[in-house]
Amino acid sequence: MSLFVAATCAVALTPVLAAPTLKELDPVPMVTVPGGTFLMGSENPKGRADEWPQRSVYVDTFAIDQVEVTNERYMAFVATTGHRSPPNPYGTGVLVSAKGVEQLPVVQVTWYDAKAYCAWAKKRLPTEAEWEKAARGTDGRMFPWGNEPPSPTRANFDREWVDDKTLHVVGSLSGGDSPYGIKDMSGNAREWVQDWYAPDYYANAPDKNPQGPDKGIVRVIRGGSWHSPQSDITATARGRGGFALQTHGTGFRCVRGGETAK
């Protein structure tokens, strides 16, 4: 895939941490993404057909978790609410008993699990447009860090499963930060978002705060995982999965503010 030239104005590189609310149940740093337009999708023939056409989209100001939800944070949710624990991908026994994986992103969670966690934390899943803006900024870059090819210092991708050595500690690859200072938006764990998936949605979607199709069969997953090839960890690549999908490579992060998603 050929790299494309950055367009429109550049984004400020200094992340703005959102002010926490009182008594945060999920006390993770959040980064404010200011309202405004950005380039969403890819120009034909770059990327894949479901990323076409590239268009200018306006998104209201919102705040997004700086890192993916970790095992430690998710198990606090499980302990507090009694929500079911995800399967343990690192061996036998329940996930809470696994040692040394606390700061790895939680995986093996369904879309419903991710939505429930965000609601418990008084947040929500990001829309697909919010996720993409947070990942690439406003200059149309191919990856969160720019247009240079991915490397092991920028993203955890294109690997085989080796138990607890597969996923990286969240936020540990600073070379892969987005223009807003948001971490791990390429590789490591794929991330559930709010929207229904439709391959032709971009052609008819609204240009302000798109919320995804009104109905569908599967939900959108963004960002690629530790197993994904380079083509799946671009800031524009769209994945999808059913509600009950649980894989070693799918996690999530939450947002707050902006237009309320469906």
Side-chain angles (χ1 to χ4, degrees):
M1 186 187 304
S2 61
L3 302 180
F4 55 91
V5 179
T8 75
C9 59
V11 177
L13 296 180
T14 302
V16 180
L17 298 184
T21 61
L22 296 176
K23 297 181 180 179
E24 283 280 8
L25 295 169
D26 185 25
V28 63
M30 299 188 76
V31 178
T32 296
V33 178
T37 60
F38 77 106
L39 290 176
M40 186 171 184
S42 297
E43 292 182 295
N44 185 350
K46 297 169 183 172
R48 298 183 177 123
D50 67 352
E51 302 168 25
W52 306 338
Q54 186 178 84
R55 59 209 173 90
S56 180
V57 172
Y58 180 94
V59 175
D60 288 338
T61 299
F62 65 96
I64 187 168
D65 292 350
Q66 191 171 34
V67 296
E68 295 160 329
V69 174
T70 62
N71 288 315
E72 181 178 62
R73 289 161 55 201
Y74 195 85
M75 294 313 298
F77 158 68
V78 168
T80 302
T81 65
H83 193 88
R84 65 174 184 173
S85 175
N88 178 8
Y90 305 108
T92 59
V94 295
L95 180 60
V96 71
S97 67
K99 302 302 181 184
V101 301
E102 293 82 0
Q103 299 310 311
L104 302 183
V106 67
V107 292
Q108 295 272 35
V109 288
T110 68
W111 184 88
Y112 286 120
D113 293 333
K115 184 179 181 181
Y117 179 97
C118 291
W120 166 76
K122 297 180 170 57
K123 303 177 187 179
R124 59 178 174 82
L125 285 171
T127 66
E128 189 172 13
E130 287 171 334
W131 190 98
E132 187 167 326
K133 183 176 183 182
R136 73 189 309 200
T138 63
D139 59 5
R141 61 184 57 197
M142 180 174 287
F143 299 100
W145 56 84
N147 291 325
E148 300 81 13
S151 68
T153 62
R154 290 175 171 145
N156 180 19
F157 74 107
D158 199 19
R159 301 179 58 202
E160 297 300 323
W161 182 258
V162 284
D163 296 324
D164 58 356
K165 301 296 189 288
T166 310
L167 289 155
H168 288 190
V169 169
V170 297
S172 58
L173 297 180
S174 60
D177 289 2
S178 86
Y180 301 104
I182 304 163
K183 300 176 180 297
D184 300 322
M185 299 201 82
S186 279
N188 217 24
R190 303 192 303 168
E191 299 179 17
W192 288 111
V193 297
Q194 178 67 33
D195 304 31
W196 291 107
Y197 173 83
D200 57 353
Y201 178 67
Y202 285 16
N204 302 299
D207 293 332
K208 183 175 182 180
N209 296 318
Q211 302 284 302
D214 291 332
K215 58 184 178 179
I217 299 174
V218 293
R219 297 283 180 171
V220 177
I221 309 174
R222 299 295 299 258
S225 77
W226 53 268
H227 190 58
S228 300
Q230 176 174 320
S231 59
D232 285 350
I233 65 166
T234 65
T236 58
R238 306 176 70 205
R240 57 195 181 275
F243 291 103
L245 178 71
Q246 291 177 285
T247 77
H248 288 28
T250 305
F252 67 102
R253 74 181 78 210
C254 308
V255 302
R256 180 179 284 144
E259 183 171 303
T260 303
K262 293 179 291 187

